[in-house]
Amino acid sequence: MNKPHLHALRKHEILRKKQLISLLFSSGIGVRGDFLKMVYADLRQESRSFPGIPAILFAVSKKTVPSAVRRNRIKRMMREAYRIERSSVIRSSSDEQDGAEAKRLCIVFLFTGRKKTLPELQAFREEIRRLMQGMRLS
């Protein structure tokens, strides 16, 4: 049987519910970087969700990047950068939730860059690392 990849992004880690997404945008904390914006919040955990594992969403506006090919490329690069850099977030969120009521960290990464050239994967990694280290979980 195949062993799961260390940095794989599982299906249960993707934020999909419209209610949670709208609640996250209305009550979440936003942090702006050079070309990414991160919105995050601790939201009430559902009965079937996985504790200690953040729910994640990647978004690129059609207005910001009109080409679907480029939007998909940017989302792939954001996912890859997050996969590599997420181990620090999972550890810190699970350490802080030991005695707290059941909540789940939800994160949205929005691409806000307006330059014609796309940043490299290393730039995405550094930006995501910097944004995630600046999170203040309460």
Side-chain angles (χ1 to χ4, degrees):
M1 190 165 159
N2 291 342
K3 190 174 180 180
H5 191 266
L6 177 66
H7 298 296
L9 194 60
R10 302 283 178 231
K11 188 175 182 177
H12 63 267
E13 296 178 61
I14 304 296
L15 184 60
R16 295 180 196 274
K17 298 196 177 203
K18 288 183 182 182
Q19 284 182 324
L20 282 178
I21 294 169
S22 63
L23 182 63
L24 176 61
F25 278 111
S26 64
S27 66
I29 300 167
V31 181
R32 187 175 280 283
D34 294 337
F35 52 88
L36 289 178
K37 179 179 180 182
M38 180 177 72
V39 179
Y40 65 95
D42 276 335
L43 300 177
R44 188 174 304 274
Q45 183 172 329
E46 301 164 2
S47 59
R48 292 181 290 169
S49 63
F50 296 79
I53 299 174
I56 192 81
L57 175 72
F58 302 96
V60 181
S61 167
K62 192 184 284 189
K63 188 175 182 180
T64 305
V65 182
S67 169
V69 173
R70 289 178 58 114
R71 279 196 311 273
N72 291 336
R73 171 94 174 135
I74 291 168
K75 286 189 273 189
R76 280 195 306 271
M77 288 173 48
M78 286 194 301
R79 277 195 303 269
E80 181 65 22
Y82 173 76
R83 279 187 214 125
I84 296 168
E85 301 295 333
R86 74 180 171 154
S87 60
S88 61
V89 172
I90 292 174
R91 271 187 264 126
S92 66
S93 67
S94 63
D95 292 345
E96 293 179 12
Q97 289 186 5
D98 289 338
E101 77 175 63
K103 289 193 173 186
R104 186 173 187 191
L105 178 64
C106 296
I107 305 170
V108 175
F109 286 103
L110 301 166
F111 182 76
T112 59
R114 296 203 181 257
K115 295 182 180 177
K116 295 276 186 192
T117 61
L118 290 179
E120 295 293 323
L121 179 62
Q122 187 61 31
F124 276 105
R125 286 184 63 186
E126 291 169 4
E127 183 83 7
I128 287 176
R129 182 183 318 124
R130 186 174 34 233
L131 291 172
M132 289 193 314
Q133 287 173 349
M135 277 195 306
R136 289 186 213 101
L137 300 174
S138 55

